[in-house]
Amino acid sequence: MNESSSSRQAGRGRSGPGAAGTRPAAPLLSVRELAVSFPGKRRNAPVRAVDGVGFDVGAGETLGLVGESGCGKSTTGRVIVRLLEPTGGSVLYDGRDIGHLSQRELKPLRKELQMVFQDPHSSLNPRQTVARIISDPLLVQGSSAAQARARAAELMELVGLIPEHLDRYPHEFSGGQAQRVGIARALATGPRLVVADEPVSALDVSVQAQIVNLMERLQRELGLAYLFIAHDLSVVKRVCDRVAVMYLGRIVEIGDKQKVYGAPAHPYTRALLSAVPQPDPAAERARQRITLLGDPPSPAAPPPGCTFHPRCPKAQAVCRTEAPPLRVLADGERREVACHFPEE
């Protein structure tokens, strides 16, 4: 992403013994065997939106979570900030399991865990001024009205907006400006971890670059950690230190972005990357698309064995009966892949 990213402390895949044999720092966020199910329609089997997901995010690190629509990315992010309840597994923030805390126990931790949503206008209350929108998290945490407004003015300037516009309403801002308001609201309480759920997908391409630049600058200045959820692999490659690829509620590959992008090990990852347009015309002409068979199966009735096998060009008999575990590849990069026949 930038030169400073190489010096950040990271979680899985980036941590290792430091100088003089020092121990690697514990991750800020650890998700283990996370599961989320929703009731099925008309007494059908429950829908397993998230099925045994696990990853770490280190302090100051950006982990990208990518995959097709409906794979469980947004559900995972919402569970981490407790907008949804998990049905299994654990979510450890700074070493403490927050997945099953009561709302009263969770309140002091909410200031450290915040979220930026996909559609800025639908996530901002149209009946409230920007001052009230940004101030609300501070008022909930006990700040006075005067303190909250002063902080809101500081945040407006921090995200590149004019503090004098605090008394305007969301509809008076463009999409990019409204997303800056959403980012300011997320930063109001001074979080350490921000879950960004498709934060630029609803914006024009030129505006996307501005918001990405803003998020990178805020990360450098404030030491933020991001869980960056997206389907645009070009954006993820730019902003993230590591990448986790999800398919049908499970992570199928996770590792350093250079390794995942340069030598993808899972057939699904290879197919996703083959669809990314290349800026160089010669490279674009030479690009070989990998076309997957059919549509993703329904999470209400996932196929047995490896859930990707109905669409996989490398599927064999074992893939239809045995689900591959997420295992470390023997390439010295601490990359993990869930595949019986990975590209080593």
Side-chain angles (χ1 to χ4, degrees), residues 10-12 25-34 53-59 61 63 80 89-99 113 193 242:
R12 179 186 299 175
L28 181 64
L29 176 73
S30 291
V31 177
R32 294 290 179 268
E33 296 296 325
L34 185 66
V53 163
F55 55 79
D56 294 338
V57 181
E61 182 189 27
L63 174 68
I80 288 171
S90 61
V91 178
L92 275 70
Y93 172 75
D94 206 14
R96 183 181 182 186
D97 190 350
I98 64 172
L113 291 161
L193 174 68
R242 293 185 303 122

Side-chain angles (χ1 to χ4, degrees), residues 47-130:
V47 177
R48 296 183 65 86
V50 179
D51 189 10
V53 163
F55 55 79
D56 294 338
V57 181
E61 182 189 27
T62 302
L63 174 68
L65 192 59
V66 303
E68 294 172 290
S69 296
C71 71
K73 307 185 301 295
S74 295
T75 300
T76 299
R78 289 170 183 264
V79 169
I80 288 171
V81 297
R82 286 292 302 278
L83 295 179
L84 292 174
E85 297 298 317
T87 53
S90 61
V91 178
L92 275 70
Y93 172 75
D94 206 14
R96 183 181 182 186
D97 190 350
I98 64 172
H100 302 285
L101 294 180
S102 67
Q103 291 301 318
R104 181 177 180 181
E105 294 171 321
L106 193 63
K107 181 179 177 180
L109 289 174
R110 285 204 179 278
K111 62 183 180 181
E112 300 192 24
L113 291 161
Q114 290 294 321
M115 191 164 189
V116 176
F117 296 91
Q118 177 178 0
D119 186 343
H121 281 115
S122 66
S123 63
L124 302 177
N125 190 330
R127 297 185 178 183
Q128 290 185 348
T129 64
V130 167

Side-chain angles (χ1 to χ4, degrees), residues 283-305:
E284 176 63 20
R285 287 193 297 269
R287 177 168 61 106
Q288 295 182 348
R289 281 290 301 267
I290 300 175
T291 303
L292 297 177
L293 303 173
D295 297 320
S298 169

Side-chain angles (χ1 to χ4, degrees), residues 41 58 84 114 135 236 273 280 308:
K41 295 181 179 179
L84 292 174
Q114 290 294 321
S135 298
V236 170
L273 292 175
D280 178 44
F308 185 60

